[in-house]
Amino acid sequence: MARSVTVIGSTGLIGKQFLESVSEGEFKQVTAISRREIPELMGKSFINQTIHDFSDLEAMRPDLKTDILVCALGTTIKTAGSQEAFMRVDHDLPLEIARIAHEAGCQTFILISSVGADAQSSIFYSRVKGQVEAALDELGFNQFHILRPSMLLGERQESRPGEFVGKLILTPLSFLIPWKYKPIHANTVSDKIKRLASWTQPGKYIWEGKSLFHLN
Ligand SMILES: NC(=O)c1ccc[n+]([C@@H]2O[C@H](COP(=O)([O-])OP(=O)(O)OC[C@H]3O[C@@H](n4cnc5c(N)ncnc54)[C@H](OP(=O)(O)O)[C@@H]3O)[C@@H](O)[C@H]2O)c1
């Protein structure tokens, strides 16, 4: 039976790709939470766009009454301005929003995390990603899917020179790179999210390397 889905991080590379690819009737209801309207979704009147400034997360509660919550929220330390600000976006917001959704009856949480996520890592970014995975696991969703992509490929508005150079070098050499570290297109991640939205078995699943590229 079709289920309802809510997306946070809807304006980002993964969130927008997923929402743009959703067809009418594929889900019982589709809600996109963001800080601003998404013009690319204007033609899709079946998607309920809701605007929040993320300072009052309780105000999101009605939009978090959903079967599936997809979290594609994230920033960079450079954009956020400090490690604390990064932690707020990549750890605190997903955790607080997930807690409200779980209370509201959400069964399935799909998190876009990152390759290398490890709560014990000496690298700050990887440690935060690992910590948020662990904290979310404690909430006890019926299904908890963690996707750990390496570098994401696709069209993004924000210019990230480091990423651009990385893509130029890595994409042609991709066949030499172990699956876990291969750059992956936003389309592929979006297709995987759709596949997981119809997953029936309960449990915690980590999708990385080859398993992230393949739909089964
Ligand atoms: N990019 C990569 O190569 C890469 C690699 C591995 C893992 N990841 C992870 O994958 C996830 C998705 O990545 P992505 O590249 O699709 O993300 P993205 O394009 O950078 O989009 C991030 C999303 O988070 C939202 N956001 C950022 N700061 C916010 C704040 N303070 N309050 C509310 N919303 C905020 C953005 O909203 P606004 O548009 O309003 O700013 C946007 O919707 C992230 O967790 C990222 O860390 C990324």
Side-chain angles (χ1 to χ4, degrees), residues 154-165:
E155 296 297 316
R156 69 166 75 246
Q157 280 165 346
E158 182 194 350
S159 121
R160 295 185 182 175
E163 242 178 58
F164 177 71
V165 173

Side-chain angles (χ1 to χ4, degrees), residues 103-119:
E103 280 171 13
C106 175
Q107 294 284 307
T108 300
F109 190 83
I110 301 177
L111 174 72
I112 315 306
S113 180
S114 174
V115 65
D118 175 2

Side-chain angles (χ1 to χ4, degrees), residues 8-15 34-36 53-54 71-75 86 88-90 93 112-115 125 129 148-153 156 158 160 163:
I8 52 170
S10 307
T11 52
L13 185 59
I14 296 293
S34 61
R35 294 191 287 186
R36 57 195 156 84
D53 71 1
F54 287 72
C71 175
L73 203 69
T75 188
F86 173 84
R88 167 95 187 126
V89 178
D90 279 64
L93 287 178
I112 315 306
S113 180
S114 174
V115 65
Y125 175 87
K129 291 295 196 187
R148 289 184 180 161
S150 181
M151 179 184 288
L152 295 173
L153 304 174
R156 69 166 75 246
E158 182 194 350
R160 295 185 182 175
E163 242 178 58

